[in-house]
Amino acid sequence: MTNHKLRRSVLFMPGDSMRKIQKATQLDADTIVMDLEDGVALNNKAAARETIVEALRTLDFGRRERLVRVNPPASGFLDDDIAVTAPSQPDGFVIPKTETAADVQTVSRKLAAVEREHGWAENSLRLVAVVETALGVMNLKEIAQSDARLDALMFGAEDLAGDIGAVRTRAGWEVFFARSAVVTAAAAYGLQAIDMIFVDFQNLDGLAEECRTARQMGYAGKMAIHPKQVEIINREFSPTPAEIERAQKLVAAHRAHQQSGTGAFAFEGKMVDMPVIRAAEHVLARARQAGLIQ
Ligand code: COA
Ligand code: MG
């Protein structure tokens, strides 16, 4: 498992709402995404850029990662989004509706210019790509390999459903292929995968259940759109004490069996071999990252 930054909860808010950005800095979100895209009205993009600059310059974000979601390359807003906000040095940018490797590279080149201009380290501004169109899903392989700045792929179910003419349901089978494709492409190319938003923010049990499915599929975290969702997402994407203990026991038993020359062995009545050990090591890596074990 590649060692990624901890991104369990990725909280979005409209970039023109100082109140919400400020509120986010008091929450336990791992990542804060100040939005310039669909959360902001067309006639408020300029004001949102200024608000984000002020937030980056004046607020204490503590340990939280600070990302700006720009408008897509084809929107006509992208140049100003970057020109205005990048000099305040957020940790990185989120690219919506990513459809090709060129979409990522276009943003990356603009960031390279800003880094050079300010004397910042090369590739220090990071990128996260949202895949949320049919074409984006078809081009996952090239998107995932597009650029050294790219840390993570996010899966956007709402836009995808609109694009393919699907009707969103709680079970989510209409987006399951894409949801699975995103996490698989991310794993294949060493990226982190962040799951779709849960729009029904009053329904916390539903959110927890959807987090568990995402975790079982291999997702590292989930986007949040409301403060109430952050704690649940953090909890669901952190291994439980029982999971950690079991993983530690498995890894120890594996080591002992290896030393005595045995590959596969039985553990709690079930066959254990390398894939199971790798899964256990994955649990321990996540626990370490979340600060739950040394
Ligand atoms: N980030 C930070 N703070 C938020 C927030 C968010 N995403 N969503 C709500 N809050 C704050 C509100 O400001 C409010 O605090 P206040 O009373 O001190 O002002 C508190 O949390 C409770 O909010 P609530 O009244 O339950 O919600 P709302 O009706 O104000 O807002 C939404 C509902 C959906 C509009 C709001 O949650 C939101 O803007 N979500 C993000 C939307 C977005 O970014 N979409 C694009 C990306 S997918
Ligand atoms: Mg979207």
Side-chain angles (χ1 to χ4, degrees), residues 113-128:
V114 176
E115 285 168 352
R116 276 195 302 274
E117 188 188 330
H118 290 81
W120 299 337
E122 192 184 347
N123 290 347
S124 55
L125 295 167
R126 307 305 298 168
L127 282 176
V128 174

Side-chain angles (χ1 to χ4, degrees), residues 11-14 19-20 23 35 39 69 197 201 225-227:
L11 178 63
F12 282 72
M13 74 287 311
R19 186 175 181 92
K20 283 178 184 161
K23 191 121 196 163
D35 189 24
R69 181 166 74 170
I197 59 166
F201 60 81
I225 45 143
H226 192 279

